[in-house]
Amino acid sequence: MTPTILRLSASLALAIGIMAAAWPIPSASSPALGGGLSQRPVPAPQAPDRLHLAQATATPAEKPVSFTKEQADRGKKKYDSECADCHGKDLKGGMNGGASLRSVTFTQNFGEGAPASALYLYLSTLMPPNSPGRYSPETYADVMAYILKRNGYAEGAPLPSEVEALQTLVIQK
């Protein structure tokens, strides 16, 4: 196996692990499965304690995503030093097999209408593949700002680095 395949496998395994960790798993003692100490029905929970990644796309977005020139400039520096080898200087894929960040697939996954939190969570939990989550929230927001700029999105208000704030923004031109 080449290092590229191992990295892709590790990224995929991490993504599956994140999704699996958020999924409830009934136990053998669960009343719903007929086990446990009591045979009484258990009422369904009223509201979830946390928002799952899949639910993030269901929240209504209030305004288009934007970023500052300064954020995009800082993001370019980090991208050039840490991301360009895999994703290419032009964001269209690099020598080490990283996905294009300016392709139809990118647009389908994170383009028009997607919540900004989806792209941020992807970056901050899966990148870089050899050490996901190693940068500060602000650094991930800066890199995201640079990616958005290169994809033609408009500068404006600062891009937040908090997931809750990003859920109110939609990626749209």
Side-chain angles (χ1 to χ4, degrees), residues 72-94:
D73 290 346
R74 287 190 307 265
K76 179 184 182 341
K77 287 179 186 173
K78 181 57 83 174
Y79 180 91
D80 287 346
S81 68
E82 301 290 329
C83 310
D85 285 347
C86 290
H87 297 283
K89 281 279 194 193
D90 61 357
L91 283 77
K92 292 186 178 181

Side-chain angles (χ1 to χ4, degrees), residues 15-33:
I16 291 170
I18 290 169
M19 288 183 221
W23 202 265
I25 300 173
S27 68
S29 63
S30 171
L33 296 177

Side-chain angles (χ1 to χ4, degrees), residues 65 101 103-116 118-119 147-148 151 153 169-173:
V65 68
L101 301 175
S103 67
V104 173
T105 303
F106 177 80
T107 303
Q108 288 172 342
N109 290 331
F110 302 110
E112 296 300 310
L119 177 55
I147 293 169
L148 291 170
N151 279 281
Y153 293 89
L169 303 175
V170 65
I171 299 176
Q172 102 186 32
K173 293 182 183 177

